Amino acid sequence: MKTLNATSLVTTLQCPHCHQLYNIEERQSYATCCNQPLFTNYDLELSKSYLLHVAEDSIWRYAKLLPVLDKHNIVSLGEGWTPISELSTLSQQNNVYLLLKDESVNPTGSFKARGISVAVSKAKELGITHCIIPTAGNAGGALSAYCAKAGIKATVIMPRHTPATLQEECRLYGAELILVDGLIDDCGKLARQLVAETGGFDMSTLKEPYRLEGKKTMGYEIAEQLNWKLPDVIIYPTGGGTGLIGMWKAFHEMQQLGWINGKLPRMVIVQSESCAPMVHLFQNTPNIPPSPTIAYGLAVPSPFAKDLMMEVLEQSNGTALSVSEQEMEDGIHEVATVEGLLLSPEGSATYIACKKLVEKGWIAEDETVLLFNTGSWYKYR
Ligand SMILES: Cc1ncc(COP(=O)(O)O)c(C=O)c1O
């Protein structure tokens, strides 16, 4: 690492439900307590007196607020510190100030690199030699790459219908790839079985504590890149919800650090109409069985952390909405032709959601809205 002399100010892990504390130096998972993801605590009082590692243009500029104790365990491919650009033409057309955080430039082409970098680093620190992950695609590619770098065995379990590029990259990084007829929930069942049989470590979304910590860096970056003034609205394409919950955690940590003050953004969940469990839960409408979607990353029929996501929506005065397959296709075309950016279907969903919320008046004229392009269009072939 370029300049990093960080020691983490991590203190404990904590159950968000019963608040029981757990040792950070031991291998922990959701099974430890209340069937909840464990949250990582830091000495935020002490962190106030430290400067950021501003010469480090990756997530590790926030190393003091990440859980890796020894910098030699950090497994990095240069993830994070991704650009935020203004969508000037679309801003004018929609009468709002539209910003896009482009996560497609991360190693392995998606924002999954952030969470996986931290989780694999911590796995290395804890002496874990085999990681197992159920994935809609992008997290599997990221795990394969970071495990290759760390010298850890990776087993990736993916739906058989996942695009070929997403499968092939896992094989190229040397991971064991298992294809399953079904969706990510079915992959999750097999992952749990393999974890029990092999003693491998379960890297499922929010079932280990540290992918959340990696994803929270999106919240830190948004604040820092926008001069510590957060946007009015953040629209997040949501599957398992790690990024949404992670950013919300980051905002609260920054409030305690005194790095930000004022109102926090209204957080918006967008999902595909083909698989929208969070939208149905938020709107209190009956869930419908999932059907295929081009937004593979959003195909999570029963997210483990749905209660935590609902809390984010409630606390932020946010909302949840879905978009159709055709709208995502149209959005890709619309953004590409006027902004010169190719979005993944998930990224396109955030733009369509924004248009719908502007039309409804939920987003007011001249508000600042941050969209996410969470993955690379080029991987969906
Ligand atoms: C491109 C893309 N966008 C969004 C998501 C959903 O992310 P999260 O699990 O944080 O909700 C995924 C997850 O696979 C993804 O690959």
Side-chain angles (χ1 to χ4, degrees):
M1 317 245 22
K2 259 184 263 167
T3 55
L4 201 61
N5 59 359
T7 1
S8 168
L9 294 171
V10 68
T11 52
T12 48
L13 287 164
Q14 188 163 27
C15 172
H17 189 64
C18 73
H19 307 295
Q20 172 75 35
L21 295 175
Y22 290 91
N23 189 343
I24 194 82
E25 295 190 37
E26 287 168 9
R27 175 171 159 160
Q28 310 282 4
S29 75
Y30 73 103
T32 313
C33 202
C34 298
N35 201 29
Q36 290 283 334
L38 293 180
F39 275 27
T40 313
N41 294 327
Y42 299 84
D43 186 338
L44 295 176
E45 270 310 307
L46 198 58
S47 304
K48 277 183 187 165
S49 56
Y50 286 91
L51 291 173
L52 294 169
H53 301 281
V54 283
E56 187 62 50
D57 48 8
S58 77
I59 60 170
W60 298 99
R61 67 198 278 115
Y62 309 108
K64 294 239 182 282
L65 299 156
L66 292 172
V68 181
L69 296 168
D70 178 348
K71 70 170 180 176
H72 297 105
N73 290 323
I74 291 177
V75 184
S76 175
L77 296 167
E79 53 292 325
W81 203 240
T82 55
I84 294 181
S85 41
E86 188 190 333
L87 303 181
S88 46
T89 307
L90 294 175
S91 292
Q92 267 181 358
Q93 286 174 5
N94 291 282
N95 284 327
V96 282
Y97 185 50
L98 274 180
L99 299 170
L100 179 89
K101 188 150 178 69
D102 192 0
E103 292 288 302
S104 69
V105 298
N106 272 302
T108 71
S110 89
F111 70 154
K112 296 284 173 181
R114 294 174 184 270
I116 296 292
S117 170
V118 175
V120 170
S121 301
K122 199 63 196 172
K124 186 175 165 195
E125 188 152 86
L126 293 168
I128 289 165
T129 54
H130 180 197
C131 294
I132 300 175
I133 197 166
T135 175
N138 281 316
L143 186 82
S144 306
Y146 284 86
C147 279
K149 174 102 173 152
I152 292 175
K153 178 177 174 188
T155 299
V156 175
I157 309 169
M158 197 182 269
R160 195 177 301 282
H161 63 253
T162 312
T165 315
L166 289 156
Q167 299 184 22
E168 192 52 26
E169 68 170 343
C170 298
R171 293 198 186 95
L172 285 169
Y173 290 127
E176 174 187 30
L177 178 65
I178 302 174
L179 299 175
V180 165
D181 293 314
L183 287 174
I184 194 166
D185 292 15
D186 305 289
C187 300
K189 278 183 208 138
L190 180 57
R192 282 194 290 284
Q193 192 186 319
L194 288 183
V195 165
E197 282 168 16
T198 64
F201 189 68
D202 190 347
M203 278 281 184
S204 306
T205 300
L206 289 165
K207 293 200 172 174
E208 62 72 55
Y210 304 117
R211 285 174 63 185
L212 180 72
E213 292 304 294
K215 286 268 193 89
K216 90 176 174 189
T217 58
M218 296 189 295
Y220 278 95
E221 285 178 25
I222 291 168
E224 193 182 348
Q225 291 171 323
L226 299 180
N227 239 335
W228 308 105
K229 185 172 176 336
L230 293 171
D232 298 301
V233 175
I234 292 181
I235 308 186
Y236 184 75
T238 305
T242 327
L244 185 89
I245 299 163
M247 281 190 282
W248 200 240
K249 182 174 188 281
F251 297 153
H252 285 97
E253 286 176 0
M254 282 188 284
Q255 281 182 331
Q256 286 181 58
L257 287 163
W259 292 0
I260 55 168
N261 45 46
K263 262 177 66 181
L264 296 183
R266 310 200 297 284
M267 304 296 281
V268 177
I269 285 179
V270 58
Q271 299 196 297
S272 157
E273 275 174 9
S274 309
C275 184
M278 289 311 302
V279 179
H280 292 296
L281 190 62
F282 181 78
Q283 294 175 350
N284 208 5
T285 49
N287 202 357
I288 42 173
S291 51
T293 170
I294 54 167
Y296 297 94
L298 309 187
V300 183
S302 342
F304 174 60
K306 56 181 184 316
D307 296 345
L308 289 171
M309 286 193 263
M310 286 297 284
E311 274 175 29
V312 175
L313 294 187
E314 277 159 28
Q315 289 173 12
S316 73
N317 286 318
T319 190
L321 75 166
S322 58
V323 299
S324 72
E325 300 295 306
Q326 188 58 52
E327 284 171 327
M328 284 187 277
E329 297 275 18
D330 294 346
I332 294 173
H333 188 249
E334 192 179 336
V335 177
T337 47
V338 298
E339 299 289 352
L341 291 167
L342 268 179
L343 306 187
S344 62
E346 295 85 351
S348 167
T350 67
Y351 172 61
I352 298 296
C354 178
K355 286 212 313 188
K356 290 187 174 196
L357 292 172
V358 169
E359 269 163 34
K360 270 180 35 184
W362 193 89
I363 294 175
E365 227 171 79
D366 295 331
E367 281 196 305
T368 301
V369 182
L370 186 116
L371 310 177
F372 266 103
N373 185 31
T374 42
S376 165
W377 178 89
Y378 295 95
K379 288 184 84 175
Y380 288 67
R381 308 295 99 201

